[in-house]
């Protein structure tokens, strides 16, 4: 896959390649996004990030999942996209932000 992708996109170091053009586009599109969101927290951030994440189990009842899946089908998107949009709305409400980078 990687070899096929390199053949399709070209070398990112070549300014005429598709890869270079796409990289330039995304650098411009993402320029100025916040480094962090103004989310409330329960303890101060450490001086040095550990990047140790955690997990939170989430249970979506069958009826709710069915409704979300139907919404996705009607809108021509995936269920994942519906959940990601809901997450972005939640984060915007909690943080008060308008540009919600989710990675």
């Amino acid at each position: 896959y990687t070899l096929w992708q390199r053949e399709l996109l070209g070398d990112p170091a070549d300014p005429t390649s598709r890869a270079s053009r796409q990289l330039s586009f995304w650098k411009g599109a993402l320029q100025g996004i916040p480094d962090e969101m103004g989310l409330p927290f329960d303890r101060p951030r450490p001086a040095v990030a550990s990047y140790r994440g955690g997990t939170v189990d989430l249970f979506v009842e069958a009826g709710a999942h069915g409704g979300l899946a139907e919404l996705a089908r009607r809108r021509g998107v995936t269920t994942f996209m519906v959940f990601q949009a809901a997450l972005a709305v939640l984060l915007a409400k909690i943080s008060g932000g308008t540009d919600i980078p989710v990675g």
Side-chain angles (χ1 to χ4, degrees):
Y1 178 82
T2 305
L3 294 174
W4 169 82
Q5 185 179 34
R6 174 62 66 102
E7 184 179 319
L8 177 70
L9 299 177
D11 185 351
D14 174 7
T16 64
S17 72
R18 183 181 287 176
S20 179
R21 291 191 312 270
Q22 288 184 7
L23 186 59
S24 292
F25 169 82
W26 284 110
K27 282 182 177 180
L30 298 174
Q31 185 176 4
I33 64 170
D35 289 335
E36 59 185 52
M37 298 173 58
L39 296 172
F41 47 86
D42 61 351
R43 61 179 86 63
R45 291 180 183 266
V48 177
S50 70
Y51 299 104
R52 290 181 314 201
T55 61
V56 176
D57 292 331
L58 173 70
F59 177 78
V60 179
E61 298 205 14
H65 182 269
L68 292 168
E70 175 59 21
L71 172 64
R73 188 196 62 72
R74 283 196 322 265
R75 296 295 180 185
V77 299
T78 65
T79 306
F80 173 80
M81 293 168 75
V82 172
F83 275 100
Q84 187 156 7
L87 173 65
V89 169
L90 174 66
L91 291 174
K93 290 223 177 256
I94 292 172
S95 71
T98 57
D99 198 356
I100 309 298
V102 177

